[in-house]
Amino acid sequence: MKQDDSQPAGSPQQDENHIIAERRAKLAEWRQTGGAYPNDFARENTAGKINELYDVRTRDELDAACVEVKLAGRIMLKRVMGKAAFVTLQDLSGRIQAHVSRDRIGEENYSAFKRWDMGDIVGVVGTLFRTRTGELTIECAQIRLLAKSLRPLPEKFHGLTDQEQKYRMRYVDLITNEESRFTFAVRSRIVQSIRNYMVRHGFLEVETPMMHPIPGGATARPFQTHHHALDMQLFLRIAPELYLKRLVVGGFEKVFEINRNFRNEGLSPRHNPEFTMMEFYEAYSEYRQLMDFTEGMLRHSAREALGGEVFEFQGRPLDFSKPFARLTIVDAIRRSHPGFSSAQLADAGWLRDKLAALHVATSPQMGLGALQLALFEETTEADLWDPTYIVDYPAEVSPLARRSDTNPEVAERFELFIAGREIANGFSELNDPEDQAARFAEQARAKDAGDEEAMYYDADYIRALEYGLPPTGGCGVGIDRLVMLLADAANIRDVILFPQMRPE
RNA sequence: GGGUUGGUAGCUCAGUCGGUAGAGCAGUGGACUUUUAAUCCAUUGGUCGUGGGUUCGAGUCCCACCCGACCCA
């Protein structure tokens, strides 16, 4: 790092090198002309559209048609051969080659053009032709510099490969890596497909608060902030659940929200402190119907985003077309570990010993269901490759879910696992205000006892339930993780444009 | 937190047994009017992550630390 004299006073120190210095000098020359950074170039075509429309035409057809185009893009490759040159231009839609010759654009323009760099943004006007080797190309009648790139692009063949650099400088990653552009295009299509699916099924899209006076709807550590005018503590939301159910109380019987949640927890290949969830609630539904609905939504999403319901993830096939399996926690454990007997899995003492042997911490308060769940998470979860619903979660770890009519220890709840990852979590909602109040009280006791992730007692939510929540089913889908599956990304940072990073 | 692995030119990477710091791309100068990661000639550019240590001599060996990646908890 060194201070550069050309930096305006007071600007932050920038890293400079001889390449940037060279380009700054070229920018200074450009400013001398009085026409630097113009904004009067109105493009009329894009590379993708031109390729789509004209790549089917023969050389003779193109010559006869004399197709005029006006296109802008970034110079990605530049091959100068004396008095003529080829440049590869890139815009959002793709790439197209342009031919620039001195005799066509004039001596002065051509010598200026020769000084331009890869990364510069140019506008061209010209006609389409086909080169000797058959490539569809624009013969430039005009070429103008529209914006200067002061910083060199990464190596033209390999692009930016350093993971950290890709995340920190996503703009550079997007310029040079088509896979990255593809990933985020897929992400957009997935979100759009889910939104369409929900709206088509009669759901109302809503936006509920991101700043909560009481964080709720999940067990997680929240971020805290402070509102000055109100002089009150606020939390970034960890889940929208309690607000969405308040809306169902209000009569919005089918609602959904696609938005960010924030959890003040560690970073990992599957965890970013802010992440996107889709949550939906449907009155007069329950968890089995939700599973059918969610399954349909995921199938729809895969079709819309990828064009099919069967695809590859990390080198292994994933198939959304077959019905998703439904297993209880114990059934799932036994299927993947036939050595464990039903008697053992129903024995809290055996489970405690087994978990201790596996170095999984248990607490004395954990009941049979919680112990089974812990063993499931430790031994089985990661093996669930094909889409699998795990059903009937212990009520003790499901403080917002309705208890099963046949077994009050169990909640009418499911989680969906795909490729060993939790993708969705849903349940028949607990709509009994007195039961809910009792469960909040229990959570509050756990919090007082030091459990940082335990829930707060939310009196307003109880008040809402006291007005009457119809029987309702609700489900949350982790959008980032779904995108990881459909875009074949191993790391959540690959599907978040600007993932959380340590300060530079 | 533990293990594995990496940090060398703007980018992608070599660097052998410890002996003057390398290539390709990019840049600069030159040749070249149908190239395809254009080619050819010449050439600029380095606090080898940081700090110690061993040594006549360290990119290389040792120690500590910083920053990543992957795996595990």
Side-chain angles (χ1 to χ4, degrees), chain A residues 17 26 79-82 86 97 103 118 131-133 135 155-156 493 502:
Chain A
N17 59 57
K26 290 175 180 175
R79 299 175 286 279
V80 179
M81 299 152 299
F86 287 96
Q97 174 173 269
D103 293 347
M118 285 193 277
T131 63
R132 192 181 290 164
T133 53
E135 180 159 345
E155 213 254 6
K156 60 186 173 187
R493 291 177 168 189
R502 279 175 203 282

Short mmCIF file of all heavy atoms in Angstrom, two decimals, chain A residues 17 26 79-82 86 97 103 118 131-133 135 155-156 493 502, chain B residues 10-12 24-26 28 32-38 68-70:
data_model
loop_
_atom_site.label_atom_id
_atom_site.label_comp_id
_atom_site.label_asym_id
_atom_site.label_seq_id
_atom_site.Cartn_x
_atom_site.Cartn_y
_atom_site.Cartn_z
N ASN A 17 -0.87 0.07 -8.15
CA ASN A 17 0.28 -0.61 -8.73
C ASN A 17 0.51 0.00 -10.11
O ASN A 17 -0.24 0.87 -10.55
CB ASN A 17 0.06 -2.12 -8.79
CG ASN A 17 -1.17 -2.48 -9.62
OD1 ASN A 17 -1.27 -2.10 -10.78
ND2 ASN A 17 -2.10 -3.18 -9.02
N LYS A 26 -4.28 6.90 -18.67
CA LYS A 26 -5.15 6.83 -19.84
C LYS A 26 -6.46 7.56 -19.58
O LYS A 26 -7.01 8.23 -20.48
CB LYS A 26 -5.43 5.38 -20.21
CG LYS A 26 -4.22 4.65 -20.76
CD LYS A 26 -4.57 3.18 -20.98
CE LYS A 26 -3.38 2.42 -21.53
NZ LYS A 26 -3.66 0.98 -21.63
N ARG A 79 -7.80 -8.61 -29.29
CA ARG A 79 -6.74 -9.15 -30.14
C ARG A 79 -6.47 -8.15 -31.24
O ARG A 79 -7.29 -7.99 -32.15
CB ARG A 79 -7.17 -10.49 -30.74
CG ARG A 79 -7.46 -11.57 -29.71
CD ARG A 79 -7.99 -12.84 -30.35
NE ARG A 79 -9.37 -12.72 -30.80
CZ ARG A 79 -10.43 -12.84 -30.00
NH1 ARG A 79 -10.27 -13.08 -28.71
NH2 ARG A 79 -11.65 -12.70 -30.48
N VAL A 80 -5.35 -7.44 -31.14
CA VAL A 80 -5.01 -6.42 -32.12
C VAL A 80 -4.02 -7.00 -33.12
O VAL A 80 -3.01 -7.57 -32.70
CB VAL A 80 -4.41 -5.17 -31.44
CG1 VAL A 80 -4.03 -4.14 -32.48
CG2 VAL A 80 -5.39 -4.60 -30.44
N MET A 81 -4.35 -6.86 -34.40
CA MET A 81 -3.44 -7.33 -35.45
C MET A 81 -3.12 -6.17 -36.37
O MET A 81 -3.71 -6.03 -37.45
CB MET A 81 -4.09 -8.46 -36.25
CG MET A 81 -4.42 -9.66 -35.40
SD MET A 81 -5.82 -10.56 -36.05
CE MET A 81 -7.09 -9.32 -35.96
N GLY A 82 -2.26 -5.28 -35.91
CA GLY A 82 -1.90 -4.15 -36.73
C GLY A 82 -3.06 -3.21 -36.95
O GLY A 82 -3.54 -2.59 -36.00
N PHE A 86 -9.89 -7.65 -33.10
CA PHE A 86 -11.14 -8.25 -32.61
C PHE A 86 -11.24 -7.97 -31.11
O PHE A 86 -10.25 -8.08 -30.40
CB PHE A 86 -11.15 -9.75 -32.84
CG PHE A 86 -11.33 -10.15 -34.28
CD1 PHE A 86 -10.23 -10.44 -35.08
CD2 PHE A 86 -12.61 -10.21 -34.82
CE1 PHE A 86 -10.41 -10.79 -36.40
CE2 PHE A 86 -12.79 -10.57 -36.15
CZ PHE A 86 -11.69 -10.86 -36.94
N GLN A 97 -18.49 -11.01 -30.47
CA GLN A 97 -17.23 -10.47 -30.96
C GLN A 97 -17.49 -9.28 -31.88
O GLN A 97 -18.46 -9.25 -32.61
CB GLN A 97 -16.51 -11.59 -31.70
CG GLN A 97 -15.24 -11.17 -32.39
CD GLN A 97 -14.50 -12.37 -32.97
OE1 GLN A 97 -13.66 -12.97 -32.33
NE2 GLN A 97 -14.84 -12.73 -34.18
N ASP A 103 -9.27 1.33 -41.18
CA ASP A 103 -9.83 1.93 -42.39
C ASP A 103 -11.31 2.24 -42.23
O ASP A 103 -11.85 3.13 -42.88
CB ASP A 103 -9.63 1.00 -43.60
CG ASP A 103 -8.15 0.89 -43.93
OD1 ASP A 103 -7.37 1.70 -43.39
OD2 ASP A 103 -7.78 -0.01 -44.71
N MET A 118 -8.69 -4.20 -21.56
CA MET A 118 -9.69 -5.19 -21.18
C MET A 118 -10.34 -4.72 -19.88
O MET A 118 -9.66 -4.22 -18.98
CB MET A 118 -9.03 -6.55 -20.99
CG MET A 118 -8.69 -7.19 -22.32
SD MET A 118 -8.27 -8.91 -22.15
CE MET A 118 -6.56 -8.75 -21.68
N THR A 131 -17.17 -14.31 -39.74
CA THR A 131 -15.74 -14.33 -40.07
C THR A 131 -15.39 -15.57 -40.86
O THR A 131 -16.22 -16.46 -41.07
CB THR A 131 -14.89 -14.35 -38.79
OG1 THR A 131 -15.17 -15.55 -38.07
CG2 THR A 131 -15.17 -13.16 -37.91
N ARG A 132 -14.13 -15.62 -41.26
CA ARG A 132 -13.60 -16.76 -42.02
C ARG A 132 -13.87 -18.08 -41.30
O ARG A 132 -14.17 -19.09 -41.90
CB ARG A 132 -12.09 -16.56 -42.19
CG ARG A 132 -11.43 -17.46 -43.18
CD ARG A 132 -9.94 -17.17 -43.23
NE ARG A 132 -9.64 -15.87 -43.85
CZ ARG A 132 -8.47 -15.24 -43.74
NH1 ARG A 132 -7.51 -15.77 -43.02
NH2 ARG A 132 -8.25 -14.09 -44.35
N THR A 133 -13.76 -18.02 -39.94
CA THR A 133 -13.98 -19.25 -39.19
C THR A 133 -15.44 -19.42 -38.81
O THR A 133 -15.80 -20.34 -38.09
CB THR A 133 -13.13 -19.27 -37.90
OG1 THR A 133 -13.38 -18.06 -37.19
CG2 THR A 133 -11.67 -19.38 -38.21
N GLU A 135 -17.56 -17.21 -37.15
CA GLU A 135 -18.15 -16.61 -35.94
C GLU A 135 -18.93 -15.35 -36.27
O GLU A 135 -18.46 -14.46 -36.99
CB GLU A 135 -17.04 -16.27 -34.93
CG GLU A 135 -17.63 -15.65 -33.67
CD GLU A 135 -16.70 -15.77 -32.48
OE1 GLU A 135 -15.74 -16.55 -32.54
OE2 GLU A 135 -16.96 -15.05 -31.50
N GLU A 155 -6.96 -12.78 -14.26
CA GLU A 155 -6.45 -13.52 -15.41
C GLU A 155 -7.59 -13.98 -16.31
O GLU A 155 -8.56 -14.57 -15.84
CB GLU A 155 -5.66 -14.73 -14.88
CG GLU A 155 -4.51 -15.10 -15.74
CD GLU A 155 -4.79 -16.35 -16.53
OE1 GLU A 155 -5.94 -16.85 -16.48
OE2 GLU A 155 -3.89 -16.82 -17.21
N LYS A 156 -7.44 -13.71 -17.61
CA LYS A 156 -8.61 -13.85 -18.49
C LYS A 156 -9.10 -15.27 -18.65
O LYS A 156 -10.26 -15.50 -18.93
CB LYS A 156 -8.29 -13.26 -19.86
CG LYS A 156 -7.14 -13.91 -20.59
CD LYS A 156 -6.85 -13.13 -21.87
CE LYS A 156 -5.60 -13.65 -22.55
NZ LYS A 156 -5.22 -12.79 -23.69
N ARG A 493 -22.15 -19.38 1.14
CA ARG A 493 -21.61 -18.11 0.64
C ARG A 493 -21.66 -18.03 -0.88
O ARG A 493 -21.58 -16.94 -1.45
CB ARG A 493 -20.17 -17.94 1.10
CG ARG A 493 -20.06 -17.72 2.58
CD ARG A 493 -18.62 -17.63 3.00
NE ARG A 493 -18.50 -17.15 4.36
CZ ARG A 493 -17.36 -16.81 4.94
NH1 ARG A 493 -16.24 -16.89 4.26
NH2 ARG A 493 -17.34 -16.37 6.16
N ARG A 502 -15.26 -11.48 7.73
CA ARG A 502 -14.44 -10.71 8.68
C ARG A 502 -14.03 -9.41 8.03
O ARG A 502 -13.83 -9.36 6.82
CB ARG A 502 -13.15 -11.48 8.99
CG ARG A 502 -13.29 -12.55 9.99
CD ARG A 502 -11.96 -13.30 10.11
NE ARG A 502 -12.21 -14.62 10.63
CZ ARG A 502 -12.45 -14.88 11.92
NH1 ARG A 502 -12.43 -13.89 12.80
NH2 ARG A 502 -12.70 -16.09 12.33
P G B 10 1.69 -7.04 -7.47
OP1 G B 10 2.09 -5.70 -7.95
OP2 G B 10 1.81 -7.40 -6.05
"O5'" G B 10 0.19 -7.30 -7.92
"C5'" G B 10 -0.88 -6.47 -7.42
"C4'" G B 10 -2.05 -6.59 -8.35
"O4'" G B 10 -1.68 -6.01 -9.63
"C3'" G B 10 -2.46 -8.03 -8.68
"O3'" G B 10 -3.43 -8.49 -7.74
"C2'" G B 10 -3.03 -7.91 -10.08
"O2'" G B 10 -4.36 -7.42 -10.04
"C1'" G B 10 -2.14 -6.82 -10.69
N9 G B 10 -0.95 -7.36 -11.38
C8 G B 10 0.35 -7.01 -11.13
N7 G B 10 1.21 -7.62 -11.90
C5 G B 10 0.43 -8.43 -12.70
C6 G B 10 0.82 -9.31 -13.73
O6 G B 10 1.95 -9.58 -14.15
N1 G B 10 -0.28 -9.94 -14.30
C2 G B 10 -1.58 -9.73 -13.92
N2 G B 10 -2.48 -10.44 -14.59
N3 G B 10 -1.96 -8.90 -12.96
C4 G B 10 -0.91 -8.29 -12.40
P C B 11 -3.33 -10.02 -7.22
OP1 C B 11 -4.32 -10.14 -6.14
OP2 C B 11 -1.92 -10.41 -7.00
"O5'" C B 11 -3.88 -10.85 -8.46
"C5'" C B 11 -5.24 -10.78 -8.83
"C4'" C B 11 -5.49 -11.65 -10.05
"O4'" C B 11 -4.68 -11.17 -11.14
"C3'" C B 11 -5.07 -13.11 -9.88
"O3'" C B 11 -6.09 -13.88 -9.27
"C2'" C B 11 -4.81 -13.54 -11.32
"O2'" C B 11 -6.03 -13.78 -11.99
"C1'" C B 11 -4.20 -12.27 -11.90
N1 C B 11 -2.72 -12.26 -11.86
C2 C B 11 -2.02 -13.07 -12.75
O2 C B 11 -2.67 -13.80 -13.52
N3 C B 11 -0.68 -13.04 -12.75
C4 C B 11 -0.03 -12.24 -11.91
N4 C B 11 1.31 -12.24 -11.95
C5 C B 11 -0.70 -11.42 -10.98
C6 C B 11 -2.05 -11.45 -10.99
P U B 12 -5.69 -15.20 -8.45
OP1 U B 12 -6.94 -15.76 -7.93
OP2 U B 12 -4.56 -14.87 -7.55
"O5'" U B 12 -5.13 -16.19 -9.58
"C5'" U B 12 -6.02 -16.77 -10.52
"C4'" U B 12 -5.28 -17.76 -11.38
"O4'" U B 12 -4.33 -17.06 -12.22
"C3'" U B 12 -4.42 -18.75 -10.61
"O3'" U B 12 -5.19 -19.82 -10.09
"C2'" U B 12 -3.42 -19.19 -11.67
"O2'" U B 12 -4.00 -20.11 -12.56
"C1'" U B 12 -3.18 -17.87 -12.42
N1 U B 12 -1.99 -17.15 -11.92
C2 U B 12 -0.77 -17.49 -12.47
O2 U B 12 -0.65 -18.36 -13.32
N3 U B 12 0.31 -16.78 -11.98
C4 U B 12 0.27 -15.80 -11.02
O4 U B 12 1.32 -15.25 -10.68
C5 U B 12 -1.03 -15.51 -10.49
C6 U B 12 -2.10 -16.19 -10.94
P G B 24 6.84 -16.39 -20.28
OP1 G B 24 7.25 -16.55 -21.70
OP2 G B 24 7.09 -15.10 -19.59
"O5'" G B 24 5.30 -16.72 -20.16
"C5'" G B 24 4.74 -17.84 -20.83
"C4'" G B 24 3.28 -17.98 -20.45
"O4'" G B 24 3.18 -18.28 -19.04
"C3'" G B 24 2.44 -16.72 -20.61
"O3'" G B 24 2.03 -16.51 -21.96
"C2'" G B 24 1.29 -17.00 -19.66
"O2'" G B 24 0.40 -17.93 -20.22
"C1'" G B 24 2.03 -17.65 -18.49
N9 G B 24 2.46 -16.64 -17.52
C8 G B 24 3.70 -16.07 -17.40
N7 G B 24 3.77 -15.18 -16.44
C5 G B 24 2.49 -15.16 -15.91
C6 G B 24 1.95 -14.39 -14.84
O6 G B 24 2.52 -13.55 -14.14
N1 G B 24 0.60 -14.68 -14.64
C2 G B 24 -0.12 -15.60 -15.36
N2 G B 24 -1.40 -15.74 -15.02
N3 G B 24 0.36 -16.32 -16.35
C4 G B 24 1.67 -16.06 -16.57
P C B 25 1.84 -15.05 -22.50
OP1 C B 25 1.44 -15.14 -23.92
OP2 C B 25 3.02 -14.25 -22.11
"O5'" C B 25 0.59 -14.49 -21.68
"C5'" C B 25 -0.70 -15.04 -21.86
"C4'" C B 25 -1.66 -14.51 -20.83
"O4'" C B 25 -1.18 -14.83 -19.50
"C3'" C B 25 -1.81 -12.99 -20.79
"O3'" C B 25 -2.66 -12.50 -21.81
"C2'" C B 25 -2.39 -12.79 -19.40
"O2'" C B 25 -3.74 -13.15 -19.36
"C1'" C B 25 -1.58 -13.83 -18.60
N1 C B 25 -0.38 -13.19 -18.01
C2 C B 25 -0.57 -12.41 -16.86
O2 C B 25 -1.71 -12.31 -16.39
N3 C B 25 0.49 -11.78 -16.30
C4 C B 25 1.70 -11.92 -16.84
N4 C B 25 2.71 -11.27 -16.25
C5 C B 25 1.92 -12.71 -18.01
C6 C B 25 0.86 -13.32 -18.56
P A B 26 -2.37 -11.09 -22.46
OP1 A B 26 -3.45 -10.82 -23.44
OP2 A B 26 -0.95 -11.07 -22.90
"O5'" A B 26 -2.51 -10.08 -21.24
"C5'" A B 26 -3.78 -9.78 -20.71
"C4'" A B 26 -3.64 -8.83 -19.55
"O4'" A B 26 -2.90 -9.47 -18.48
"C3'" A B 26 -2.86 -7.56 -19.83
"O3'" A B 26 -3.63 -6.58 -20.50
"C2'" A B 26 -2.44 -7.15 -18.43
"O2'" A B 26 -3.53 -6.58 -17.73
"C1'" A B 26 -2.10 -8.51 -17.82
N9 A B 26 -0.68 -8.81 -18.08
C8 A B 26 -0.15 -9.65 -19.02
N7 A B 26 1.16 -9.69 -19.03
C5 A B 26 1.52 -8.81 -18.03
C6 A B 26 2.76 -8.39 -17.53
N6 A B 26 3.92 -8.83 -17.99
N1 A B 26 2.76 -7.50 -16.52
C2 A B 26 1.60 -7.05 -16.05
N3 A B 26 0.36 -7.36 -16.43
C4 A B 26 0.39 -8.26 -17.43
P U B 28 -0.48 -0.82 -22.02
OP1 U B 28 -1.19 0.46 -22.12
OP2 U B 28 -0.78 -1.91 -22.96
"O5'" U B 28 1.09 -0.54 -22.08
"C5'" U B 28 1.67 0.49 -21.30
"C4'" U B 28 3.15 0.53 -21.52
"O4'" U B 28 3.76 -0.67 -20.98
"C3'" U B 28 3.60 0.51 -22.99
"O3'" U B 28 3.52 1.80 -23.58
"C2'" U B 28 5.03 0.00 -22.86
"O2'" U B 28 5.89 1.01 -22.37
"C1'" U B 28 4.86 -1.06 -21.77
N1 U B 28 4.58 -2.40 -22.34
C2 U B 28 5.67 -3.14 -22.78
O2 U B 28 6.82 -2.73 -22.73
N3 U B 28 5.36 -4.36 -23.30
C4 U B 28 4.10 -4.93 -23.42
O4 U B 28 3.98 -6.05 -23.89
C5 U B 28 3.03 -4.09 -22.94
C6 U B 28 3.30 -2.89 -22.44
P C B 32 3.55 -3.67 -39.57
OP1 C B 32 3.79 -3.29 -40.98
OP2 C B 32 3.07 -2.66 -38.60
"O5'" C B 32 2.53 -4.88 -39.56
"C5'" C B 32 2.74 -6.02 -40.38
"C4'" C B 32 1.83 -7.15 -39.95
"O4'" C B 32 2.14 -7.52 -38.58
"C3'" C B 32 0.34 -6.80 -39.89
"O3'" C B 32 -0.28 -6.84 -41.17
"C2'" C B 32 -0.18 -7.86 -38.94
"O2'" C B 32 -0.29 -9.11 -39.60
"C1'" C B 32 0.97 -7.94 -37.92
N1 C B 32 0.73 -7.05 -36.75
C2 C B 32 0.05 -7.57 -35.65
O2 C B 32 -0.32 -8.75 -35.68
N3 C B 32 -0.20 -6.77 -34.59
C4 C B 32 0.21 -5.50 -34.60
N4 C B 32 -0.06 -4.75 -33.54
C5 C B 32 0.91 -4.95 -35.72
C6 C B 32 1.14 -5.75 -36.77
P U B 33 -1.38 -5.69 -41.47
OP1 U B 33 -1.13 -5.22 -42.84
OP2 U B 33 -1.49 -4.72 -40.34
"O5'" U B 33 -2.71 -6.56 -41.47
"C5'" U B 33 -3.25 -7.09 -40.27
"C4'" U B 33 -4.73 -7.32 -40.46
"O4'" U B 33 -5.41 -6.03 -40.59
"C3'" U B 33 -5.08 -8.12 -41.71
"O3'" U B 33 -6.19 -8.95 -41.39
"C2'" U B 33 -5.52 -7.05 -42.71
"O2'" U B 33 -6.42 -7.51 -43.67
"C1'" U B 33 -6.20 -6.05 -41.77
N1 U B 33 -6.26 -4.69 -42.29
C2 U B 33 -7.51 -4.13 -42.50
O2 U B 33 -8.54 -4.74 -42.27
N3 U B 33 -7.50 -2.87 -43.00
C4 U B 33 -6.41 -2.12 -43.29
O4 U B 33 -6.56 -0.97 -43.73
C5 U B 33 -5.14 -2.74 -43.06
C6 U B 33 -5.10 -3.99 -42.58
P U B 34 -6.13 -10.48 -41.77
OP1 U B 34 -4.92 -11.06 -41.16
OP2 U B 34 -6.35 -10.60 -43.24
"O5'" U B 34 -7.40 -11.07 -41.03
"C5'" U B 34 -7.43 -11.15 -39.60
"C4'" U B 34 -8.44 -12.20 -39.20
"O4'" U B 34 -9.77 -11.68 -39.42
"C3'" U B 34 -8.34 -13.49 -40.01
"O3'" U B 34 -8.67 -14.56 -39.17
"C2'" U B 34 -9.41 -13.31 -41.07
"O2'" U B 34 -9.93 -14.51 -41.57
"C1'" U B 34 -10.48 -12.55 -40.28
N1 U B 34 -11.39 -11.73 -41.10
C2 U B 34 -12.71 -12.17 -41.20
O2 U B 34 -13.12 -13.18 -40.67
N3 U B 34 -13.51 -11.38 -41.98
C4 U B 34 -13.16 -10.22 -42.62
O4 U B 34 -14.00 -9.61 -43.26
C5 U B 34 -11.78 -9.83 -42.45
C6 U B 34 -10.96 -10.60 -41.72
P U B 35 -7.73 -15.86 -38.96
OP1 U B 35 -6.54 -15.69 -39.80
OP2 U B 35 -8.61 -17.03 -39.12
"O5'" U B 35 -7.30 -15.83 -37.43
"C5'" U B 35 -6.21 -15.03 -36.98
"C4'" U B 35 -6.55 -14.42 -35.66
"O4'" U B 35 -7.60 -13.44 -35.85
"C3'" U B 35 -7.13 -15.39 -34.64
"O3'" U B 35 -6.13 -16.08 -33.96
"C2'" U B 35 -7.90 -14.45 -33.71
"O2'" U B 35 -7.03 -13.80 -32.82
"C1'" U B 35 -8.43 -13.41 -34.70
N1 U B 35 -9.82 -13.66 -35.11
C2 U B 35 -10.81 -13.36 -34.18
O2 U B 35 -10.55 -12.97 -33.06
N3 U B 35 -12.08 -13.57 -34.60
C4 U B 35 -12.48 -14.02 -35.84
O4 U B 35 -13.67 -14.14 -36.08
C5 U B 35 -11.39 -14.29 -36.75
C6 U B 35 -10.14 -14.09 -36.35
P U B 36 -6.36 -17.58 -33.46
OP1 U B 36 -5.11 -18.03 -32.81
OP2 U B 36 -6.94 -18.34 -34.59
"O5'" U B 36 -7.49 -17.47 -32.34
"C5'" U B 36 -7.19 -16.94 -31.05
"C4'" U B 36 -8.46 -16.92 -30.23
"O4'" U B 36 -9.51 -16.30 -30.99
"C3'" U B 36 -8.97 -18.31 -29.85
"O3'" U B 36 -9.55 -18.24 -28.57
"C2'" U B 36 -10.05 -18.57 -30.87
"O2'" U B 36 -11.04 -19.45 -30.46
"C1'" U B 36 -10.62 -17.15 -31.05
N1 U B 36 -11.31 -17.02 -32.33
C2 U B 36 -12.64 -16.65 -32.32
O2 U B 36 -13.24 -16.39 -31.29
N3 U B 36 -13.24 -16.60 -33.54
C4 U B 36 -12.65 -16.89 -34.75
O4 U B 36 -13.32 -16.81 -35.78
C5 U B 36 -11.27 -17.25 -34.68
C6 U B 36 -10.66 -17.31 -33.50
P A B 37 -9.53 -19.50 -27.63
OP1 A B 37 -8.42 -20.42 -27.95
OP2 A B 37 -10.93 -20.01 -27.63
"O5'" A B 37 -9.27 -18.86 -26.21
"C5'" A B 37 -9.89 -17.63 -25.86
"C4'" A B 37 -8.93 -16.81 -25.04
"O4'" A B 37 -8.48 -17.62 -23.91
"C3'" A B 37 -7.65 -16.40 -25.79
"O3'" A B 37 -7.21 -15.14 -25.33
"C2'" A B 37 -6.65 -17.47 -25.39
"O2'" A B 37 -5.32 -17.04 -25.42
"C1'" A B 37 -7.08 -17.75 -23.94
N9 A B 37 -6.75 -19.11 -23.52
C8 A B 37 -7.23 -20.28 -24.05
N7 A B 37 -6.75 -21.34 -23.49
C5 A B 37 -5.90 -20.85 -22.52
C6 A B 37 -5.07 -21.47 -21.58
N6 A B 37 -4.98 -22.80 -21.46
N1 A B 37 -4.34 -20.69 -20.77
C2 A B 37 -4.45 -19.37 -20.89
N3 A B 37 -5.20 -18.65 -21.75
C4 A B 37 -5.88 -19.47 -22.52
P A B 38 -7.34 -13.95 -26.34
OP1 A B 38 -6.52 -12.86 -25.81
OP2 A B 38 -8.76 -13.78 -26.60
"O5'" A B 38 -6.69 -14.49 -27.70
"C5'" A B 38 -5.31 -14.39 -27.87
"C4'" A B 38 -4.93 -15.16 -29.11
"O4'" A B 38 -5.40 -14.43 -30.29
"C3'" A B 38 -3.44 -15.31 -29.35
"O3'" A B 38 -2.90 -16.37 -28.57
"C2'" A B 38 -3.41 -15.59 -30.84
"O2'" A B 38 -3.81 -16.92 -31.13
"C1'" A B 38 -4.49 -14.62 -31.34
N9 A B 38 -3.92 -13.31 -31.69
C8 A B 38 -4.02 -12.12 -31.02
N7 A B 38 -3.40 -11.12 -31.58
C5 A B 38 -2.84 -11.69 -32.71
C6 A B 38 -2.05 -11.16 -33.76
N6 A B 38 -1.70 -9.88 -33.83
N1 A B 38 -1.66 -12.01 -34.74
C2 A B 38 -2.03 -13.29 -34.66
N3 A B 38 -2.77 -13.91 -33.74
C4 A B 38 -3.15 -13.04 -32.80
P G B 68 -10.15 -14.50 7.86
OP1 G B 68 -11.37 -13.67 7.85
OP2 G B 68 -9.96 -15.56 8.89
"O5'" G B 68 -10.00 -15.15 6.43
"C5'" G B 68 -10.24 -16.51 6.25
"C4'" G B 68 -9.77 -16.90 4.89
"O4'" G B 68 -8.33 -17.01 4.91
"C3'" G B 68 -10.28 -18.26 4.45
"O3'" G B 68 -11.55 -18.14 3.84
"C2'" G B 68 -9.18 -18.73 3.50
"O2'" G B 68 -9.33 -18.11 2.24
"C1'" G B 68 -7.93 -18.17 4.19
N9 G B 68 -7.34 -19.12 5.13
C8 G B 68 -7.18 -18.95 6.48
N7 G B 68 -6.59 -19.96 7.06
C5 G B 68 -6.35 -20.85 6.03
C6 G B 68 -5.73 -22.12 6.05
O6 G B 68 -5.26 -22.73 7.01
N1 G B 68 -5.70 -22.69 4.78
C2 G B 68 -6.19 -22.10 3.64
N2 G B 68 -6.07 -22.80 2.52
N3 G B 68 -6.76 -20.91 3.61
C4 G B 68 -6.81 -20.34 4.83
P A B 69 -12.73 -19.14 4.28
OP1 A B 69 -13.97 -18.62 3.69
OP2 A B 69 -12.64 -19.39 5.74
"O5'" A B 69 -12.31 -20.47 3.53
"C5'" A B 69 -12.15 -20.48 2.12
"C4'" A B 69 -11.55 -21.78 1.67
"O4'" A B 69 -10.17 -21.83 2.09
"C3'" A B 69 -12.18 -23.02 2.29
"O3'" A B 69 -13.37 -23.39 1.63
"C2'" A B 69 -11.06 -24.04 2.14
"O2'" A B 69 -10.97 -24.50 0.81
"C1'" A B 69 -9.83 -23.17 2.44
N9 A B 69 -9.47 -23.19 3.87
C8 A B 69 -9.74 -22.25 4.82
N7 A B 69 -9.26 -22.55 6.01
C5 A B 69 -8.64 -23.78 5.82
C6 A B 69 -7.95 -24.63 6.69
N6 A B 69 -7.76 -24.37 7.99
N1 A B 69 -7.45 -25.79 6.18
C2 A B 69 -7.64 -26.05 4.88
N3 A B 69 -8.28 -25.32 3.96
C4 A B 69 -8.76 -24.19 4.50
P C B 70 -14.57 -24.05 2.47
OP1 C B 70 -15.75 -24.08 1.57
OP2 C B 70 -14.66 -23.37 3.78
"O5'" C B 70 -14.07 -25.53 2.72
"C5'" C B 70 -13.84 -26.41 1.62
"C4'" C B 70 -13.09 -27.63 2.07
"O4'" C B 70 -11.79 -27.24 2.59
"C3'" C B 70 -13.72 -28.39 3.24
"O3'" C B 70 -14.78 -29.24 2.84
"C2'" C B 70 -12.52 -29.16 3.78
"O2'" C B 70 -12.21 -30.27 2.96
"C1'" C B 70 -11.41 -28.12 3.64
N1 C B 70 -11.24 -27.34 4.88
C2 C B 70 -10.48 -27.90 5.92
O2 C B 70 -9.99 -29.02 5.75
N3 C B 70 -10.31 -27.20 7.07
C4 C B 70 -10.86 -25.99 7.21
N4 C B 70 -10.66 -25.36 8.35
C5 C B 70 -11.65 -25.41 6.17
C6 C B 70 -11.81 -26.10 5.04
#
